[in-house]
Amino acid sequence: MTSSGHVIQDKGNLHSIQAMLFAVVMFAGMDVCLKYLAAGYPAVQVAALRALASLPLIAAYVGWRGALKGITRAPYGMHALRAALGIVSLALFAYGLRQLSLAEAYTIFFVAPGLITVLSVFLLGEQVNGARWVAIVVGLVGVVIVLRPSAEGFLTLGGLAVLGAAAAYAVSNVTGRIVARTERGEHMVFWLMVLTALGATACALPVWVPVRMEHAWLLLGLALFGFFAQVAITEAFAHGEASVVAPFEYTALAWGVAIDFALWGVLPDRYTLLGAAIIIGSGVYLIRHETRHDSADHP
């Protein structure tokens, strides 16, 4: 349902799942760039560079979509909250990547879908049925089988940092669902990037390290991957139930395996194949469940 272009049409959970799948691919590419940058720059500066690199593309995207009208009539308080959460999440994740492998960081960060589901019940009033809980739990079991995290990894400062990043990310995405009830998706992305860039840069100035020319390709990667990821993730959570969309972040595992093979020549072992089968199975199950649900609602 639309009203003067302000209330976004609910395109359904399947549309949001497609947007999430694309977002995961883009985030995987962005995380590779973040890991390289985190080795040589302060974590909060990495967060600032992520936002600054994507901002020109975001601004161009908003103009191309014809969404400049009404962009200044925004709920600045909610946008500022999401930006603050984004800065915390990015900085903590970048710090964690200094101490952890990408696989370990993903393992810990995968608590986010569960957190989003719980928050969606209390903050959004969503009904989470047994099928969705099963998909989330089974998917998480698959992730643990694949990555086999050690207990020690969760107790390090890096592990705690990534856990904090996951919590901030979960709150940010549930908050985004609330904002999406009255805001255009383009406006949400624009203000998130603008306020994140301003806030993170202000925090990073005291410890700013000059960016070296050989890292220009990493900034370009941040710009492109970050832009497409942010647009897709906003689309995913704006039009679908958070508790349904969130489990598909587990597909990052498949891209992690592909990146490992492409960059470092690492092939998956039997545990990876078993875990991947479980994760894919849980995703297919949820898609089939949502297809039947949507068909029942829209005969």
Side-chain angles (χ1 to χ4, degrees), residues 33-50:
C33 299
L34 287 175
K35 185 169 178 62
Y36 280 122
L37 288 170
Y41 301 94
V44 70
Q45 181 177 345
V46 174
L49 291 174
R50 181 264 186 271

Side-chain angles (χ1 to χ4, degrees), residues 67-190:
L68 292 175
K69 182 179 179 181
I71 198 170
T72 58
R73 296 193 298 271
Y76 293 109
M78 294 294 286
H79 287 311
L81 173 60
R82 294 190 68 223
L85 291 167
I87 293 170
V88 171
S89 182
L90 279 169
L92 288 176
F93 191 76
Y95 178 82
L97 286 177
R98 289 183 182 176
Q99 302 184 27
L100 304 176
S101 68
L102 197 60
E104 289 172 324
Y106 275 173
T107 302
I108 300 170
F109 199 84
F110 274 139
V111 304
L115 293 175
I116 290 172
T117 298
V118 174
L119 289 171
S120 69
V121 173
F122 294 101
L123 299 182
L124 304 180
E126 292 184 3
Q127 298 297 318
V128 180
N129 59 27
R132 296 173 185 176
W133 282 117
V134 167
I136 292 170
V137 173
V138 171
L140 184 57
V141 168
V143 171
V144 173
I145 290 175
V146 172
L147 300 178
R148 299 184 298 282
S150 63
E152 292 79 5
F154 284 85
L155 299 176
T156 63
L157 288 177
L160 292 174
V162 175
L163 186 61
Y169 169 82
V171 177
S172 176
N173 276 289
V174 173
T175 304
R177 181 78 165 117
I178 297 173
V179 176
R181 293 170 178 170
T182 56
E183 280 286 281
R184 291 186 58 154
E186 297 91 343
H187 293 177
M188 293 172 61
V189 175
F190 176 80

